[in-house]
Amino acid sequence: MFFNFARFFTQPQQLDNLLTTPDCDLETILSTDGILQEIKGLGATKFADHVIKHPEMYQKMINYIIQFEDELIDKKTQIQQFLNYTLRYPFLTSEILGSQNQKLIDYLFECPEEEIQNENLQIRQGLYNQLLSFLENDILNVTSAGYFAKAFIAIIKKRGFDVWATIVKNRAILSNLIKHIDIKHIAEIIEKLIILDTSQENYEEKFLEERKELLERIIKLLKHKSYNTEIVDNVCDILIEITTKSMSSLYYNNGEIIPFIDIIKKPELFLKIALQTQRIGPYQLLINLVEMQSKETKKEDDDEVVHNLEKDYSIFESILPELPPNLLNQDYHTSNFINSNRSSIQPFGLARMHLLKLIQVLVQTNDQKIIKILIHYGLIEALQVIILKYESNNQIHACCDKILRAIIDLNQDDFTLDVFENNNLLNYIVQNHNNENSKKGFIGFLTSISNYLEDKGKQNNKILKFLRQNEQWQIFADNILNQVNSKEKPFLCNANPRPSQEPDLLDEQETDNILNILRKFNNNFQKNDKHVGNNENGEGVQRNTEVLNEFEQDQQEDTAEDEDVQEELEQQNDDDQNEEDEQIKQEYNQSNFWRLDPNEKDAKELLDNFE
């Protein structure tokens, strides 16, 4: 909403005129309309030079950022302050410092060569501590914290190592940051300090140990203050970002973040917090840990990142027994709602949805030990219960479908036995896929998994045996399933809209289906729109008939054309080969190479003249 289109057109530069004015102050500059884009763009260097020459202006900018605004101020006063630019100054100054102006940021740590006045030197030395004094407050205004974070994160991106150097000298900075970790903006600063994605180069110390210590402190805080949902969410967001960065770094052989992962690998702690708080952050963190587990190993000698295809998920085995039962636990953090059928529904909840996704990710690792433990502790039974209980929740049905297919696709006899015999999957489908439940949401899932099992039986003799031995399933497949498919599949031309691989050619049945659809469309069009044929040219019906006739004619001529094309290609290849042989023969006969005597001079002359 602060985008200025005027900067794309030629116009006088306002900043130049303002800076040449002797009595120009910060408020005058900030009160000028459209000045922010100019300061962040073409006028960044000029503005920075002016501020460095007048460091008291830098002082004012920091004061506006760290000033403690009263959140309880009345609306009328807020509007008046906004119109008078008083309320805009903190925002504008935070945007200027947050634009990563290199000169302004360097001025906080280095004294320019032209800086000779003692008064200016004293002001410069106190600017950085003045900015950090904002964290010393016992409570923070969230808006002011956002302004502070905007400026401080820009400083980390440009001079991250220098920021850590000041933190090492003054440990109170970290304590003040952790004290306010329940504020999202402050948590983002901590995240940037740990990841330390900075453009500063040629710095010997990387502060790895200090960053690890900070990571351990916030995890300890998460463990002992799990009752505070803001702390849980913010700390988990930090850890999620670190694991996400770590997964990305694997593809670029960047191992700087990987040493922090060993500190985060605490699945028991995160599952305990997830079950206690019912927040989605710990579940998402567990999902990230599963996805990145054992994708990298680190050599101790040169810290080289090596990709390892052998994945070890043993650290998650201790939490597996608790996952399936908690799918059935009621979420007391959500209240019931009334659906369109006037029924009271207990929501599944975002937390349990992430728990289901965690199970899906674990199953899709194809680790047989993990799948065996999950099935042993009632995974299949839990899925069957929630599918029926939450009949209209398509997300649940999609996750359950992926879990079942991942297990069956392994083609392991013990898993097949667990699914089909111990958990009676076929009887479960037959009992619930009936006319009474035809209007319920889970029918789509049951139809999809039924067709999948029929197709899978053609590839797996063990599954085919279970299908053929179950008489109820045979009756169901021949009647109900066949009726549903006969109604639904014609709408898709009897083709899977999302096949595993796209067929090269349409088979005969699919071609016939397309022809039938075109023929029916043409007939209905002629019946319903007879008046179209009575117009001047009668082009509507005639054109549709021509399209259908051309399509059928093309189908009839395909076979003959293919045979003719094949014969022509063979004849052409033979002719080309004969012409090539004749050309080689002529060149050989016309050349004098084969008549050469072992005379080096004549041979060289012939080679030079030969084209």
Side-chain angles (χ1 to χ4, degrees), residues 132-148:
L132 292 176
S133 66
F134 175 76
L135 298 172
E136 297 175 0
N137 295 295
D138 293 332
I139 57 174
L140 297 181
N141 175 283
V142 177
T143 305
S144 299
Y147 296 149
F148 172 80

Side-chain angles (χ1 to χ4, degrees), residues 353-518:
M353 193 68 238
H354 277 73
L355 173 59
L356 185 61
K357 289 181 179 179
L358 172 61
I359 295 175
Q360 174 190 330
V361 172
L362 286 167
V363 171
Q364 289 177 335
T365 60
N366 295 333
D367 188 286
Q368 296 186 18
K369 191 172 183 180
I370 283 182
I371 297 175
K372 187 174 182 179
I373 296 174
L374 289 172
I375 293 177
H376 176 73
Y377 284 94
L379 174 60
I380 307 298
E381 297 95 321
L383 297 182
Q384 293 176 353
V385 170
I386 62 176
I387 288 171
L388 299 181
K389 185 175 181 180
Y390 303 95
E391 60 184 55
S392 301
N393 194 321
N394 292 332
Q395 282 186 299
I396 295 177
H397 301 160
C399 284
C400 293
D401 181 80
K402 292 177 182 178
I403 292 172
L404 290 174
R405 291 183 186 226
I407 295 174
I408 296 173
D409 284 341
L410 289 176
N411 296 320
Q412 296 294 321
D413 291 343
D414 50 347
F415 295 156
T416 302
L417 185 67
D418 286 327
V419 172
F420 288 94
E421 184 171 322
N422 298 340
N423 291 284
N424 296 321
L425 178 60
L426 299 180
N427 292 337
Y428 170 80
I429 296 174
V430 171
Q431 292 172 5
N432 295 286
H433 198 307
N434 51 45
N435 294 330
E436 296 179 359
N437 296 329
S438 60
K439 301 297 183 182
K440 294 186 177 180
F442 56 73
I443 288 297
F445 161 77
L446 295 180
T447 301
S448 175
I449 199 69
S450 299
N451 288 321
Y452 165 75
L453 294 177
E454 284 290 326
D455 294 338
K456 194 68 179 177
K458 300 175 184 178
Q459 307 170 11
N460 190 314
N461 293 329
K462 191 78 172 178
I463 296 177
L464 181 62
K465 183 178 179 181
F466 280 111
L467 297 178
R468 296 296 174 260
Q469 289 179 350
N470 192 316
E471 296 181 1
Q472 294 181 348
W473 176 266
Q474 290 298 316
I475 298 172
F476 162 76
D478 294 338
N479 295 281
I480 297 178
L481 184 60
N482 189 36
Q483 292 175 5
V484 173
N485 290 334
S486 64
K487 294 178 181 178
E488 295 181 353
K489 286 190 175 182
F491 290 103
L492 302 174
C493 300
N494 287 333
N496 186 357
R498 293 186 298 174
S500 56
Q501 57 183 3
E502 185 176 352
D504 296 332
L505 297 172
L506 292 175
D507 59 24
E508 183 178 353
Q509 181 181 1
E510 292 173 349
T511 304
D512 293 339
N513 290 330
I514 295 174
L515 278 172
N516 291 332
I517 291 173
L518 289 173

Side-chain angles (χ1 to χ4, degrees), residues 189-406:
I189 295 176
I190 296 176
E191 170 202 315
K192 302 303 181 186
L193 286 173
I194 296 174
I195 296 176
L196 201 56
D197 185 11
T198 180
S199 59
Q200 186 177 4
E201 298 178 352
N202 302 325
Y203 208 93
E204 297 179 358
E205 180 62 48
K206 300 295 184 181
F207 301 100
L208 285 175
E209 295 303 321
E210 289 80 4
R211 291 154 62 193
K212 289 181 183 178
E213 180 183 350
L214 176 58
L215 180 60
E216 290 173 347
R217 288 182 66 177
I218 64 172
I219 293 178
K220 185 177 180 180
L221 184 69
L222 173 66
K223 178 180 179 180
H224 294 283
K225 289 196 174 183
S226 58
Y227 55 84
N228 189 322
T229 56
E230 286 80 8
I231 291 179
V232 172
D233 291 341
N234 292 342
V235 173
C236 286
D237 286 343
I238 295 173
L239 303 181
I240 289 170
E241 185 65 21
I242 293 174
T243 53
T244 303
K245 288 278 187 181
S246 180
M247 284 189 286
S248 300
S249 68
L250 298 177
Y251 299 100
Y252 301 100
N253 275 349
N254 178 14
E256 289 188 1
I257 301 178
I258 294 176
F260 302 103
I261 300 303
D262 291 335
I263 302 174
I264 303 177
K265 289 180 180 178
K266 301 176 186 287
E268 297 90 350
L269 172 63
F270 300 134
L271 180 62
K272 180 181 177 181
I273 294 173
L275 297 177
Q276 287 177 350
T277 62
Q278 290 298 306
R279 310 297 292 181
I280 64 175
Y283 285 120
Q284 185 59 52
L285 178 57
L286 287 169
I287 291 173
N288 281 13
L289 289 176
V290 174
E291 290 178 343
M292 64 169 293
Q293 177 61 27
S294 295
K295 288 185 178 179
E296 81 287 342
T297 55
K298 185 163 66 76
K299 290 183 179 180
E300 296 181 357
D301 51 352
D302 54 2
D303 289 340
E304 179 184 356
V305 178
V306 180
H307 299 285
N308 183 12
L309 298 179
E310 296 294 332
K311 300 178 177 62
D312 181 18
Y313 300 96
S314 58
I315 64 170
F316 301 101
E317 292 178 5
S318 58
I319 68 172
L320 297 178
E322 300 183 61
L323 300 184
N326 278 286
L327 284 175
L328 304 178
N329 290 344
Q330 185 174 355
D331 187 357
Y332 294 101
H333 293 76
T334 58
S335 57
N336 291 12
F337 67 93
I338 305 299
N339 65 1
S340 58
N341 297 326
R342 310 303 299 171
S343 301
S344 179
I345 304 297
Q346 169 67 34
F348 191 63
L350 282 176
R352 281 198 291 172
M353 193 68 238
H354 277 73
L355 173 59
L356 185 61
K357 289 181 179 179
L358 172 61
I359 295 175
Q360 174 190 330
V361 172
L362 286 167
V363 171
Q364 289 177 335
T365 60
N366 295 333
D367 188 286
Q368 296 186 18
K369 191 172 183 180
I370 283 182
I371 297 175
K372 187 174 182 179
I373 296 174
L374 289 172
I375 293 177
H376 176 73
Y377 284 94
L379 174 60
I380 307 298
E381 297 95 321
L383 297 182
Q384 293 176 353
V385 170
I386 62 176
I387 288 171
L388 299 181
K389 185 175 181 180
Y390 303 95
E391 60 184 55
S392 301
N393 194 321
N394 292 332
Q395 282 186 299
I396 295 177
H397 301 160
C399 284
C400 293
D401 181 80
K402 292 177 182 178
I403 292 172
L404 290 174
R405 291 183 186 226

Side-chain angles (χ1 to χ4, degrees), residues 89-105:
Y89 295 156
F91 166 75
L92 293 173
T93 51
S94 69
E95 285 292 314
I96 293 171
L97 292 180
S99 63
Q100 302 182 28
N101 189 312
Q102 188 70 53
K103 279 194 173 183
L104 290 178
I105 294 175

